[in-house]
Amino acid sequence: MERIESERLYLRPFGHGDAEAVWAYRSLAEVARYQYWEPYTPEDARSFIERYAGQVPGENQTWTGLAVVLKATGTVIGDCAFYLDGDRAEIGCNISPAYQRRGLAREALQTLVAYCAEVYKVALIRGITDSRNLSSIRLQESLGMVRDRTFENRIQCKGETCTEYRFEGDCRAIFSPERTTI
């Protein structure tokens, strides 16, 4: 996989030169708030890149991480990931706060869903989010995903009791092939 393009973005495998960009947004408390991980150190960012650089997408039943890159500047502005499970995939996304509220997370996830549907024949997309993460909930709903009311997972995360929600959506309803180039 070289890259997957949309109107303003492309998604590509991480390279060794991406550690500083990843550290820049994953080191922020506001980005890490609803994640399982703490704000990144430079070493965390290097380890993240080592884990994902050179990875073959969708291989070995592990998460596949991709850099979200702004086409106009070539800047890594975030990351997205997917985990394949038969004809289903779980997706996730982190975007630097400097690039939020512009529809870029939605565009990145639509592009990722199109890729999963076309390349891996995924029919159902899932996303898990902390019930307090209203931005993530709105993002998933904007993609046409709906909350699975049968799933509520109470966990301990960062010393707090949290409730996770799962959202699901039909891949065909989420992406428009004429808007995304694979």
Side-chain angles (χ1 to χ4, degrees), residues 14 60 64 91 110 118 150 173:
F14 281 101
N60 299 328
T64 297
I91 58 173
Q110 282 179 311
E118 291 182 11
T150 66

Side-chain angles (χ1 to χ4, degrees), residues 96-167:
S96 168
Y99 295 93
Q100 292 177 2
R101 293 176 177 55
R102 299 181 193 181
L104 295 169
R106 184 174 194 271
E107 188 173 329
L109 288 178
Q110 282 179 311
T111 304
L112 182 61
V113 169
Y115 174 76
C116 288
E118 291 182 11
V119 174
Y120 299 104
K121 308 305 180 214
V122 168
L124 181 74
I125 290 293
R126 288 185 167 156
I128 307 282
T129 192
D130 188 303
S131 63
R132 301 168 297 170
N133 191 344
L134 301 180
S135 294
S136 177
I137 290 170
R138 283 193 298 270
L139 172 61
Q140 291 180 75
E141 289 174 340
S142 79
L143 290 168
M145 298 169 74
V146 295
R147 184 174 157 211
D148 175 357
R149 301 270 179 198
T150 66
F151 180 94
E152 252 187 42
N153 189 26
R154 293 196 189 279
I155 62 167
Q156 285 292 314
C157 185
K158 299 180 183 176
E160 298 181 80
T161 300
C162 307
T163 302
E164 292 179 317
Y165 292 160
R166 179 171 62 204
F167 286 80

